[in-house]
Structures are given as C-alpha cells and as structure tokens.
C-alpha cells in the first residue's frame, strides 16, 4: 500500500496562510507594557524644608535596579517594591544646608545608560520640623497628679497580683 502524504496540497496552503498571519500578528503586537511606555517617577512630598525626608518612586522601568540623584540630596539606590520590579522605591534626606529653590531629581532605570525621567523638587525656606512631636509641653499640676495616681495604682495592682499568685502555689 502506498504511503499517504501527511497533508493535502490545499491543507498546506491553509497552514502556510495561518503561519503567515500569525507572523504578521506577532510582529504587529505591542511589546510588554512595562517596556512599551516610558517610566513615570514621583517625589513625595514635592516641597520640603532642608533636612526633611522625601520618598522616591519610579514605575515602569522593567528592571530591578535604579538610581535617583539630585543636588539636593546626592545619589540614592532604588529597590523593587515587588518581585516583578514594576515599581522601584527609595528615600532621601535633603541636605540641611540646601538653599531654597527648585531642584531637579533624575531617575535612571537599571543604572547608567538606562531610561531617564526628571521631576522637580521644591526646597522651601526654613528648617525641617522635627523633635518630640508635641509630646513635651506645658502640663498643669492636676495632670501631673492624675498621671502619678494612675502609675501608682498600676504598680499597686501588679504587686497585689504577684503576692496573690505566690500564696496560691
């Protein structure tokens, strides 16, 4: 019995057309979203006093490394926020002697030669707010007495519980 061909000539033409159409569609389809669009970056807050901290974020790099640099704070390495490295994060402290004005912050994906995005950071006049956050202020004698009574009551209750436990065993 003669061998039967694998595909009839009409089937071969159909397969060739499907292969050609697939090739055209593959060539015309956009590349992955992470690499198709240019990255977007941000600094938060956008206005800060000298000595203040800013958060740095860049999305859409498609790499697991990045750098943000500015004359307001120097160079900061950015690290991925997830396994896909769709966002890179970092933080920086603005130099305490920075003068008021606008500073550019340059984000670079993957190190030297990667995609770049530049945003603006405004350094405002004045010092960064810091310190104890309002935990120290003027207290009235009544507030001091109430705090002392609560502390003494807590101490007395603790001693009573410990002595009661020792009698039970």
């Amino acid at each position: 019995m003669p061998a039967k061909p694998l595909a009839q000539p009409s089937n071969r033409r159909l397969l060739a057309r499907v292969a050609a159409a697939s090739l055209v569609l593959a060539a015309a389809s956009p590349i992955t979203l992470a690499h198709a669009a240019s990255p977007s970056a941000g600094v938060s807050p956008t206005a800060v006093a000298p000595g203040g901290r800013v958060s740095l974020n860049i999305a859409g790099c498609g790499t697991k490394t990045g750098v943000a640099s500015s004359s307001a704070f120097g160079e900061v390495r950015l690290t991925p926020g997830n396994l896909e490295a769709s966002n890179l994060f970092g933080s920086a402290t603005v130099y305490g002697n920075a003068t008021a004005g606008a500073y550019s912050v340059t984000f670079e994906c993957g190190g030297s030669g990667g995609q770049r995005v530049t945003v603006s950071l405004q350094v405002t006049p004045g010092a960064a707010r810091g310190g104890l956050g309002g935990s120290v202020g003027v207290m009235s004698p009544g507030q001091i007495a109430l705090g002392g009574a609560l502390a003494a009551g807590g101490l007395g209750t603790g001693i009573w519980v410990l002595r009661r436990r020792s009698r039970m065993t």
Side-chain angles (χ1 to χ4, degrees):
M1 185 155 128
K4 195 173 185 183
L6 292 176
Q8 299 296 328
S10 62
N11 288 345
R12 286 185 185 162
R13 277 190 235 132
L14 177 63
L15 288 174
R17 287 181 186 159
V18 169
S22 297
L23 184 62
V24 169
L25 287 175
S29 66
I31 57 177
T32 62
L33 184 60
H35 300 291
S38 61
S40 62
V43 177
S44 177
T46 56
V48 65
R53 290 191 62 81
V54 292
S55 296
L56 308 164
N57 177 24
I58 186 166
C61 269
T63 63
K64 294 188 186 239
T65 60
V67 174
S69 59
S70 174
S71 57
F73 54 76
E75 186 174 290
V76 175
R77 293 179 53 96
L78 304 174
T79 56
N82 59 26
L83 294 176
E84 290 129 15
S86 56
N87 288 333
L88 300 175
F89 297 96
S91 64
T93 302
V94 175
Y95 295 134
N97 61 353
T99 58
Y103 290 83
S104 54
V105 179
T106 302
F107 292 84
E108 198 165 359
C109 298
S112 174
Q115 292 177 306
R116 286 185 172 194
V117 178
T118 302
V119 296
S120 181
L121 170 66
Q122 186 69 33
V123 175
T124 59
R129 297 191 61 167
L132 300 172
S135 64
V136 174
V138 178
M139 293 180 66
S140 70
Q143 289 174 325
I144 294 171
L146 180 61
L150 288 172
L155 181 63
T157 302
I159 291 171
W160 178 75
V161 168
L162 289 175
R163 293 188 87 191
R164 186 170 178 206
R165 267 194 200 165
S166 66
R167 281 189 212 151
M168 294 180 143
T169 58

